[in-house]
Amino acid sequence: MKYCSECGSANLVRRSPGRDTHSRLVCADCDKIFYHNPRMIAGCIVEHDGKYLMCQRAITPRPGTWTLPAGFMECGEKVEEAAAREVWEETGARVEIIAPYSIFSVPQIDEVYIMFRAQLIEFTDEPGPETMEAKLLSPDEIPWDNIFYPAIKDILQRYIEEKARGTFGIYMGCSEDGTVHFMQ
Ligand code: ZN
């Protein structure tokens, strides 16, 4: 950012305004503070008859790899609406959200993921342009070696284990280190 969007000044400086704990980009002429906050990504794990809804990415980063449907939340949305919309856009499946399943932060890239458990309502087999292919895959059909994000692999593995045990937890933490919480 080169110019203040409020007054057009090029006099932008970094400082901690008032009692703020973080250093911010501030316009030295009109005192406008430019906040930079993490991005929220919402998605779903959709299980149907022991199979899992996955999509093969058609776009960068990592085209050709498989993942769970997820994407950036839009302004004006509830996070669960964003998750269901992303599933629709990426896989052509309509789903109903059941409950949160994994909440993890990736502070290295300033992203927060919220993944929900969801139930399949309708699978139209019309994936959007960001997807090469969307499929329901059984655990032994899942291309485990072609899932780029370890956190996504972890979510799938945990779900398969928890489903076998008959109880689902909620993960909270970072992508590589966190805790699964079970309701009492
Ligand atoms: Zn300004």
Side-chain angles (χ1 to χ4, degrees), residues 26-78:
V26 178
C27 174
D29 288 329
C30 76
D31 291 329
K32 167 94 179 168
I33 303 165
F34 297 95
Y35 292 96
H36 179 62
N37 297 105
R39 297 185 295 177
M40 183 77 83
I41 292 146
C44 293
I45 180 159
V46 184
E47 186 237 320
H48 184 71
D49 291 340
K51 296 189 170 195
Y52 296 85
L53 184 60
M54 296 191 70
C55 45
Q56 190 176 26
R57 298 175 59 88
I59 54 164
T60 54
R62 265 88 49 186
T65 60
W66 288 79
T67 190
L68 293 172
F72 292 110
M73 190 176 167
E74 300 287 352
C75 295
E77 272 183 327
K78 290 192 279 191

Side-chain angles (χ1 to χ4, degrees), residues 8-183:
S9 164
N11 198 4
L12 300 177
V13 294
R14 274 217 158 260
R15 65 166 184 243
S16 298
R19 298 172 67 172
D20 203 322
T21 51
H22 286 70
S23 164
R24 311 282 183 191
L25 196 62
V26 178
C27 174
D29 288 329
C30 76
D31 291 329
K32 167 94 179 168
I33 303 165
F34 297 95
Y35 292 96
H36 179 62
N37 297 105
R39 297 185 295 177
M40 183 77 83
I41 292 146
C44 293
I45 180 159
V46 184
E47 186 237 320
H48 184 71
D49 291 340
K51 296 189 170 195
Y52 296 85
L53 184 60
M54 296 191 70
C55 45
Q56 190 176 26
R57 298 175 59 88
I59 54 164
T60 54
R62 265 88 49 186
T65 60
W66 288 79
T67 190
L68 293 172
F72 292 110
M73 190 176 167
E74 300 287 352
C75 295
E77 272 183 327
K78 290 192 279 191
V79 65
E80 61 273 30
E81 287 171 348
R85 175 184 53 73
E86 286 292 340
V87 173
W88 167 249
E89 289 178 4
E90 294 190 351
T91 70
R94 297 205 183 276
V95 297
E96 196 171 301
I97 302 292
I98 300 169
Y101 191 61
S102 182
I103 300 168
F104 64 91
S105 307
V106 193
Q108 302 90 328
I109 51 169
D110 299 323
E111 291 181 350
V112 178
Y113 283 71
I114 300 187
M115 301 295 291
F116 294 87
R117 284 192 287 130
Q119 190 182 353
L120 186 67
I121 304 296
E122 184 192 10
F123 192 14
T124 63
D125 204 18
E126 291 166 21
E130 295 182 3
T131 302
M132 262 183 222
E133 197 173 17
K135 272 186 169 175
L136 282 161
L137 299 171
S138 63
D140 54 359
E141 293 169 330
I142 292 172
W144 293 103
D145 295 335
N146 200 14
I147 299 172
F148 184 78
Y149 298 103
I152 296 297
K153 204 184 281 190
D154 291 347
I155 287 171
L156 272 160
Q157 283 168 340
R158 176 165 71 90
Y159 190 106
I160 292 164
E161 285 168 24
E162 290 180 354
K163 183 182 151 63
R165 289 209 309 264
T167 177
F168 292 109
I170 297 176
Y171 177 93
M172 187 172 73
C174 288
S175 49
E176 59 291 306
D177 181 29
T179 310
V180 180
H181 300 263
F182 290 93
M183 302 296 166

